[in-house]
Amino acid sequence: MNNVLKWFTRDSFILPVVAIIMGLILGGIVMLIGGYNPVEAYGALFKKVFGDMYNFGEAVREMTPLIMTGLAFAFASRAGLFNIGGEGQFLVGMTAATFVGVKFTGLPIFIHAPLALIAGAVFGGLWAAIAGYLKAKRGVNEVISSIMLNWIGLYLANLIVRQFLLQPGENRSQNIGESASISIAWLSELMGNSRVHMGTIIAIVLAVLFYIYMWKTKQGYEIRAVGYNPNAAEYAGMHVNRNIVKAMFISGMLAGLGGAFQVLGVFQYQTVMSGSPGTGFDGIAVALIGLNHPFGVLLGALLFGTLTYGSAGMSFAADVPPEIIRIVIGSIIFFIAAQGIVRWVLKPFYSKRKKEKVL
Amino acid sequence: MDLLTIGQIINTTLVFATALIFASLGGIFSEKSGVTNLGLEGFMVFGAFAAGIGAHYAQEAGMDGTTSAWMGVLLAIVLGVVVSLIHAVASITFKADQIISGIVINFLAAGSTLYLVKLLFEGSGDSPLVQGFSKFNVPLLQDIPLLGEALFKNVYPTTYLAIAFVFVTYYIMYKTPFGLRLRSVGEHPSAADTVGVKVLRYRYVGVMISGALAAIGGAAITLTTTGTFSHNTVSGQGFIAIAAMIFGKWNPIGAFIAALFFGFSQAIRNYVQLFDWSQSIPQEIIFMLPYLLTIIVLVVAVGRSSAPSALGEAYDPGKR
């Protein structure tokens, strides 16, 4: 019990929570200035998400890819890498899963679906490993190479869909085989025919595995050591370059799986895209809100998904432009990043607490 | 392919490169002072937005097309500077992670500009169409074969301004005391501090100039090619500008050449059907070429980065 209490008073808990509250308040102020009623708007937002089973299921669906790209960013961050390429890895993973889903028909479901998932993970991982390899071998900044790989990934995905998988007469791929689908029919029925799928469960399991790997294994320790101080890690006999490539590969696997979930669980096909879907970038926000911790990422995705999905209800019921939510999320990240501001706001409370201790 | 087409391709290249030149020069000012700027995209979005509404209201007030366009640029500069203060306060004063702070700018830009557009124009996602800058011909020079078509016919004033800024930036950065100090706080802030350079103040100025220039870049898009602001007016140009800056090794002339290269790759899309050999190549391959080439050049030619050595580190005078 004492441990639980201690956890709730820790900085890593208080600071994000206060940052979230401050972000919501700031959003409310912006709404007030725009002539809207923030209480009504936030009410409509939460009613949209938690109002009925269908919308709740769809909100969960919305969160799932965010968990994956969030975990992807957080994993690379632990190794000191800024993986801004989640977007490209997501798309490449998606395309690999679509390819297997469409082309490898005739397989039983317990082989076809896992195979498509693995393809998505591996190709997403390889895509990220390119940036990792260039960083390790040639010192190319991973931020710039992964931005470039995002664009290349977008066009590569479109190229593959258009050349090999096109549904005649339409700007999208053929449907994946039914044996590749990871939808959960009974759960979907239970939740008002929303598009819930297996991916959500896999995502949560992977968050737990992330935690175990990073904090309970030797390999995870090495990755964190490289992230803290590559020179010290090198001196201690760790292979810094190998760890950089490995961390990027695992990071890309997570993002790639997120893309695979979208095709295999939600849409059952892949469209030719005019621009990136943005899930990779949103994953960065999710990871930052979650302080690059896997369980924080789950909470971050919950928050991000709730706000984004619910914002549609906000614009419907209270006529507030849903874009306001991006301001809220932006300010939450801002307050988390600039902890100095939050500490400054909390200062009166902190000093009060210290006084109590003295007494 | 004839001379006329080549001239037109160069002309289109310059139009597409204009915004990138401004934004990458902006990036140089910030990063030379030691502050990473991943928010260029956001500053461009704010600039494109400000230009759209600034020019719109100036036109409503009865100004002619060119004057109202300049009012749009002016408003873009003001908004760019104001928003850059968010990045500056977070990353310089409160020592937040500079990359994260830049990403925050992108988030705020995407959200708040669309929010405001919807608020101002009754729920529409686009700002009203404005006249913007008109193309003009330079007398006499436009008659030079090839060069006339490329550089002096159907040109926008913003393009000339961008090229002028390349040299102005170069001069400021390498020939003035201000430039020397700005670079010194990015290379070795504690040494600069020791000789009396106000590190934090120079960084603030660097970030503010950065916001202004990137916003002008965004404004150039609204006021030349699109004529209106919507959610996809900027669409990733800020990230390409970052690439151009790194590609050009944080040097204004280098960034200029890189921006021309990216501009060319965008221009070539419009003309690609003119070549016989390109018919059989899927368009996606042509689209990805510039990004592929960037990676190859980074690997082969650039190698270890030549970024300012204190880039991304908050300056803490107590930690020497």
Side-chain angles (χ1 to χ4, degrees), chain A residues 30-31 34 36 82 84 134 138-140 143-145 147-149 151-152 155-156 158-159 162-163 281-282 284-285 288 304 321 323-324 326-327 329-331 333-334 337-338 340-341, chain B residues 38 86 90 94 96-97 99-100 103-104 107-108 110-112 114-115 118-119 235-236 239-240 242-243 246 262 269 282-285 287-288 291-292 294-295 298-300 303-305:
Chain A
V30 175
M31 284 183 217
Y36 302 110
F82 197 89
I84 200 170
L134 294 179
R138 305 289 309 178
V140 177
V143 173
I144 181 91
S145 59
I147 289 174
M148 296 298 118
L149 284 168
W151 294 92
I152 300 171
Y155 296 123
L156 184 69
N158 284 348
L159 179 71
R162 287 208 318 132
Q163 294 290 317
F281 283 111
D282 291 348
I284 300 177
L288 294 176
F304 197 116
E323 286 76 24
I324 184 87
R326 290 199 105 53
I327 305 180
I329 292 168
S331 14
I333 309 170
F334 177 81
I341 296 176
Chain B
L38 228 53
I86 299 177
F94 285 98
D97 187 311
I99 293 178
I100 298 177
I103 287 190
V104 167
F107 259 88
L108 291 180
S112 54
L114 263 188
Y115 176 75
K118 287 190 175 172
L119 210 62
S235 70
F239 290 107
I240 300 178
I242 294 171
I246 299 179
F262 282 111
R269 291 183 194 180
Q283 55 174 12
E284 283 89 359
I285 302 227
F287 287 176
M288 64 172 84
Y291 310 110
L292 212 58
T294 304
I295 291 185
L298 283 173
V299 170
V300 177
R304 299 277 155 192
S305 73

Side-chain angles (χ1 to χ4, degrees), chain A residues 225-239:
Chain A
V226 169
Y228 275 127
N229 189 337
N231 297 328
E234 183 87 62
Y235 186 68
M238 297 172 191
H239 297 281

Side-chain angles (χ1 to χ4, degrees), chain B:
Chain B
M1 198 168 54
D2 49 34
L3 279 183
L4 186 70
T5 319
I6 296 177
Q8 280 170 350
I9 292 178
I10 298 174
N11 187 288
T12 319
T13 296
L14 284 169
V15 172
F16 281 124
T18 302
L20 297 176
I21 295 170
F22 278 120
S24 57
L25 291 178
I28 289 173
F29 270 101
S30 168
E31 303 219 335
K32 279 285 183 192
S33 78
V35 181
T36 309
N37 198 339
L38 228 53
L40 285 184
E41 172 85 5
F43 292 127
M44 286 182 85
V45 171
F46 275 114
F49 159 78
I53 62 158
H56 168 72
Y57 286 118
Q59 261 171 350
E60 293 246 297
M63 291 183 201
D64 66 274
T66 311
T67 318
S68 65
W70 284 114
M71 296 309 286
V73 173
L74 197 66
L75 191 63
I77 295 172
V78 172
L79 191 61
V81 170
V82 170
V83 178
S84 73
L85 285 172
I86 299 177
H87 185 43
V89 169
S91 56
I92 302 169
T93 304
F94 285 98
K95 301 185 176 60
D97 187 311
Q98 296 171 3
I99 293 178
I100 298 177
S101 168
I103 287 190
V104 167
I105 298 290
N106 297 339
F107 259 88
L108 291 180
S112 54
T113 55
L114 263 188
Y115 176 75
L116 285 170
V117 164
K118 287 190 175 172
L119 210 62
L120 292 171
F121 306 109
E122 279 122 27
S124 162
D126 297 14
S127 72
L129 202 64
V130 291
Q131 204 188 326
F133 290 110
S134 11
K135 292 181 178 180
F136 66 95
N137 301 330
V138 181
L140 291 179
L141 292 176
Q142 63 161 315
D143 298 325
I144 307 172
L146 182 64
L147 230 52
E149 194 68 43
L151 303 176
F152 303 113
K153 218 184 243 179
N154 289 325
V155 285
Y156 290 112
T158 42
T159 306
Y160 287 153
L161 194 64
I163 295 170
F165 263 76
V166 172
F167 298 104
V168 170
T169 303
Y170 184 86
Y171 180 80
I172 292 175
M173 207 57 90
Y174 296 103
K175 306 285 175 196
T176 64
F178 171 81
L180 179 66
R181 289 180 196 137
L182 193 75
R183 285 184 290 130
S184 72
V185 302
E187 289 293 341
H188 207 313
S190 50
D193 197 0
T194 315
V195 295
V197 179
K198 303 262 186 262
V199 175
L200 301 190
R201 192 179 299 169
Y202 271 88
R203 289 191 165 176
Y204 260 86
V205 173
V207 172
M208 283 157 77
I209 297 176
S210 178
L213 282 174
I216 299 176
I221 302 176
T222 305
L223 296 170
T224 59
T225 41
T226 65
T228 167
F229 171 77
S230 73
H231 71 281
N232 60 0
T233 300
V234 177
S235 70
Q237 305 259 13
F239 290 107
I240 300 178
I242 294 171
M245 172 185 70
I246 299 179
F247 208 19
K249 293 190 165 187
W250 287 266
N251 180 306
I253 312 283
F256 172 53
I257 294 167
L260 286 179
F261 170 70
F262 282 111
F264 174 71
S265 70
Q266 280 174 286
I268 203 83
R269 291 183 194 180
N270 299 355
Y271 293 93
V272 85
Q273 64 272 27
L274 296 176
F275 310 106
D276 293 329
W277 52 263
S278 68
Q279 298 293 334
S280 53
I281 301 174
Q283 55 174 12
E284 283 89 359
I285 302 227
I286 291 154
F287 287 176
M288 64 172 84
L289 267 181
Y291 310 110
L292 212 58
L293 281 174
T294 304
I295 291 185
I296 292 168
V297 171
L298 283 173
V299 170
V300 177
V302 182
R304 299 277 155 192
S305 73
S306 41
S309 25
L311 185 62
E313 289 166 23
Y315 178 60
D316 182 355
K319 203 174 91 182
R320 287 218 180 128

